[in-house]
Amino acid sequence: MNKLNQYTLDEIIDIPSLQNIQDKFSKMTNMSAITVDKIGTPITKPSNFTRFCNLIRTSKEGYRRCINCDAQGGLKSTQLKKPVIYTCHAGLTDLSAPIIVNDIHFGSMLCGQVVIKGNGNKKLIDLEKLSNELSLPVDELEATLLHVKSLKYNKITASADFLSLCTNSIAKMGVATITHSELLEETKEKMKFQQLAKDAQIKSIQSQLDPHFLFNTLNTIAGMALMENCNQTADLIYSLSDILRYSIKNSKDMVEIGTELENVKKYLFIQTIRYSDKLNYDIKIPDEIFRYKIPAMTLQPIIENAIMHGLEPKKDPGIIKIHGEVLPDKFIQIKITDNGIGMSNEKLNSINNKLSSTSINGGIGIKLVHDRLIYYLGPESGVKIESVPDIGTTVNVKFPLVY
């Protein structure tokens, strides 16, 4: 696919989604993280950067060295096609994993800014030399270095495996975006488009990693967290493992609504931990609905959209409500409502129009949900959005009763 060369990483990956993945990785591993393009230029905001590294980057020469070091780390991991552990120019331990789509390197995800516990690495860092070369006060370098974390080497290697999982998922998202765009250019026929949209969606949630390796890696990290008495971290990782297992196992299937909701609850658990007291949720779905079928991964993308675009920008706590009912015409309606920032009538009309068009500019996740509902359950199924600025947004998901 030579056409891939014309794309940059920020063109094939939604940056807020990429930032979300990076932030979660940083929180789970307790490491700093950033995503860079193939020449080392950051395309995301730093996650949990150390005071030491932030200080070094205030120096023009320090920033130049950091960018060069990031690029070299990305290049080395690309050549090996796997994560690498290396020492940065300032003496800290870093990890790099390449983001490769169809053998083309688009960038890398970097993390670390730690020292290996027991190696005395902090004492080996020549602060006097750094101070002279970067024109930074040695006392400030010494004070900020004290806050750099020390981690056991086996935890760093486990984090490298998890980093590989994240970059693999990012690459699959890029493939899905490009595939969906190109397929839509090839056809305007309704039924053919629906089939192609379905194929693109499936590619976005399938992984080339062996599932046993993927889940064993996650469970290894969770087990380490339990040994370190980090029970909440372990619960987070187990929940993430279950979500990935669900998406891969059921990517081509219709599932019972009850099964879909169990996956949604695990996703919301992760998000409530991430946002602490800023996010709550309320699920009210009658038990009689649980046995009916729905395409797998229908609700989670809508909820993720509500959190990212509706609740995340607001300062006050937010809530997601997921309520369902059986309508008199033997259809099921599930409403996903948030009390977020809402949107203008102009933007709302634009999004609803795109749901029934062949355009992919924005809202691709919701559009794929809409198209899959139509493909599996008929033209009367689909998604419709209602919103009021500063009040919130409701996404109506409607589909017939199917066992």
Side-chain angles (χ1 to χ4, degrees):
M1 189 183 291
N2 295 330
K3 290 182 179 180
L4 282 174
N5 287 308
Q6 66 184 315
Y7 295 98
T8 59
L9 184 58
D10 58 349
E11 289 175 330
I12 64 171
I13 300 294
D14 178 62
I15 297 302
S17 297
L18 182 56
Q19 185 76 53
N20 192 18
I21 293 172
Q22 176 187 296
D23 290 342
K24 288 177 181 176
F25 175 88
S26 178
K27 186 169 184 177
M28 287 183 179
T29 60
N30 206 24
M31 289 184 175
S32 306
I34 195 168
T35 305
V36 300
D37 63 19
K38 57 187 176 184
I39 62 173
T41 304
I43 63 170
T44 59
K45 297 177 182 178
S47 302
N48 196 28
F49 257 37
T50 66
R51 291 168 58 186
F52 181 75
C53 294
N54 279 330
L55 175 61
I56 286 179
R57 289 186 179 228
T58 62
S59 158
K60 184 176 180 180
E61 174 61 15
Y63 183 79
R64 184 193 69 79
R65 292 186 183 185
C66 287
I67 294 298
N68 183 63
C69 190
D70 290 346
Q72 291 299 316
L75 178 61
K76 186 175 181 180
S77 63
T78 300
Q79 291 171 340
L80 297 175
K81 294 187 177 181
K82 66 179 184 179
V84 295
I85 302 172
Y86 61 98
T87 302
C88 78
H89 73 95
L92 301 187
T93 297
D94 284 339
L95 313 177
S96 174
I99 300 173
I100 299 174
V101 178
N102 289 17
D103 291 326
I104 296 178
H105 177 223
F106 280 87
S108 305
M109 187 176 241
L110 311 170
C111 73
Q113 298 183 358
V114 297
V115 295
I116 300 174
K117 185 175 290 187
N119 284 18
N121 284 16
K122 289 186 180 181
K123 295 180 181 179
L124 298 177
I125 297 176
D126 191 340
L127 295 180
E128 290 285 353
K129 182 180 178 182
L130 279 176
S131 174
N132 292 331
E133 293 177 350
L134 306 183
S135 301
L136 294 172
V138 69
D139 57 334
E140 290 189 29
L141 287 169
E142 186 174 5
T144 54
L145 183 60
L146 294 175
H147 296 278
V148 172
K149 297 179 179 67
S150 297
L151 298 179
K152 293 180 180 179
Y153 186 74
N154 63 347
K155 185 168 184 178
I156 293 174
T157 56
S159 296
D161 288 338
F162 190 28
L163 183 63
S164 178
L165 166 64
C166 291
T167 53
N168 183 272
S169 297
I170 291 167
K172 294 298 132 190
M173 291 166 61
V175 169
T177 300
I178 294 168
T179 302
H180 192 69
S181 175
E182 292 179 348
L183 292 178
L184 287 179
E185 291 176 0
E186 294 174 3
T187 180
K188 292 183 180 180
E189 299 174 19
K190 186 72 173 181
M191 293 306 296
K192 188 175 181 180
F193 163 72
Q194 290 167 352
Q195 178 63 53
L196 295 174
K198 173 198 170 189
D199 292 342
Q201 191 275 341
I202 290 171
K203 288 183 180 180
S204 73
I205 57 179
Q206 288 179 316
S207 172
Q208 290 181 343
L209 280 177
D210 177 70
H212 295 293
F213 166 76
L214 185 156
F215 301 127
N216 287 342
T217 299
L218 287 174
N219 290 334
T220 297
I221 299 171
M224 293 173 61
L226 283 174
M227 287 188 291
E228 297 174 3
N229 294 320
C230 301
N231 294 333
Q232 189 176 75
T233 300
D235 289 341
L236 280 169
I237 297 172
Y238 283 132
S239 293
L240 177 60
S241 177
D242 289 342
I243 290 172
L244 292 171
R245 190 189 308 272
Y246 175 81
S247 66
I248 292 173
K249 179 180 178 181
N250 299 296
S251 62
K252 299 180 181 180
D253 299 333
M254 296 275 287
V255 297
E256 290 187 349
I257 293 174
T259 302
E260 177 82 351
L261 286 173
E262 287 301 313
N263 183 64
V264 163
K265 289 176 182 177
K266 291 183 174 71
Y267 173 77
L268 285 169
F269 166 71
I270 293 175
Q271 292 290 42
T272 53
I273 296 300
R274 178 190 175 204
Y275 289 99
S276 188
D277 58 353
K278 190 180 177 183
L279 174 64
N280 291 294
Y281 64 91
D282 174 53
I283 300 177
K284 291 181 180 177
I285 305 288
D287 292 349
E288 63 180 288
I289 290 179
F290 285 8
R291 67 183 187 274
Y292 295 109
K293 296 288 187 73
I294 191 173
M297 297 296 289
T298 291
L299 301 180
Q300 186 265 330
I302 299 173
I303 296 167
E304 181 172 0
N305 214 50
I307 293 172
M308 185 181 303
H309 300 294
L311 299 183
E312 196 169 82
K314 66 179 289 183
K315 295 180 180 179
D316 299 327
I319 185 169
I320 298 284
K321 294 181 180 180
I322 306 167
H323 294 177
E325 61 178 332
V326 178
L327 302 176
D329 58 357
K330 295 186 178 182
F331 272 73
I332 292 174
Q333 179 172 265
I334 296 178
K335 291 188 175 184
I336 300 170
T337 303
D338 67 74
N339 64 339
I341 61 172
M343 65 185 83
S344 66
N345 285 333
E346 181 180 3
K347 184 176 181 180
L348 175 64
N349 290 334
S350 175
I351 292 175
N352 278 324
N353 288 337
K354 287 175 182 177
L355 289 178
S356 57
S357 74
T358 58
S359 170
I360 66 162
N361 296 323
I364 185 170
I366 300 292
K367 179 161 179 54
L368 284 174
V369 169
H370 177 77
D371 291 331
R372 291 180 74 231
L373 283 167
I374 293 174
Y375 178 82
Y376 280 106
L377 299 172
E380 295 184 358
S381 305
V383 174
K384 187 172 182 181
I385 305 173
E386 302 170 355
S387 187
V388 178
D390 301 320
I391 298 296
T393 300
T394 296
V395 178
N396 296 285
V397 182
K398 183 181 177 182
F399 51 96
L401 303 180
V402 174
Y403 287 103

